[in-house]
Amino acid sequence: MSKANRPLSPHLQVYRLPMTAMMSITFRAMGVGLAIGFVFLASWLIGAGAGRDAFEGYHAFFTSWFGLLLLFGWTAAFYYHACNGIRHLVWDTGRGLTNEGAAKGNPIVLGAAVVLTILTWIIGLA
């Protein structure tokens, strides 16, 4: 068999991942993002304990547009990871483990994460 006639294996450029697989990958990525966010949170707490000058530097960073963007992303990652974690706890009971059950849970997880993130920012900015 020549190289031109060999079948190609499906890969990410050919094969479209199902939504559940994309959410699984995103769940892990959000966990990494949360870990990085907790490093920033710990440094902010250390800065608060280090004195007024250090705290004012952190405050200036986190109230800038970039700092607020990072905080918004961290909030979204937190709620997405939490909602998906609750879904995993439900799966641990044996419910929703079918393809149909997982597909029904996808919009619930995404919707809950979006609503909780927006509510948190509305309450936080009020």
Side-chain angles (χ1 to χ4, degrees), residues 65-76:
W65 70 269
F66 185 68
L68 288 173
L69 182 67
L70 286 177
L71 288 173
F72 184 82
W74 190 75
T75 307

Side-chain angles (χ1 to χ4, degrees), residues 10-91:
H11 46 80
L12 292 179
Q13 295 170 338
V14 175
Y15 179 70
R16 184 183 153 133
L17 291 174
M19 183 64 147
T20 306
M22 293 298 295
M23 289 187 66
S24 177
I25 294 166
T26 307
F27 180 59
R28 287 159 177 77
M30 294 294 175
V32 172
L34 285 174
I36 294 168
F38 277 120
V39 170
F40 280 107
L41 177 65
S43 67
W44 174 71
L45 291 173
I46 292 168
R52 185 174 188 87
D53 292 336
F55 179 75
E56 286 177 358
Y58 279 100
H59 182 74
F61 173 73
F62 283 116
T63 55
S64 70
W65 70 269
F66 185 68
L68 288 173
L69 182 67
L70 286 177
L71 288 173
F72 184 82
W74 190 75
T75 307
F78 174 78
Y79 282 122
Y80 177 78
H81 199 75
C83 292
N84 215 356
I86 291 170
R87 176 164 74 164
H88 278 264
L89 288 174
V90 171
W91 284 350

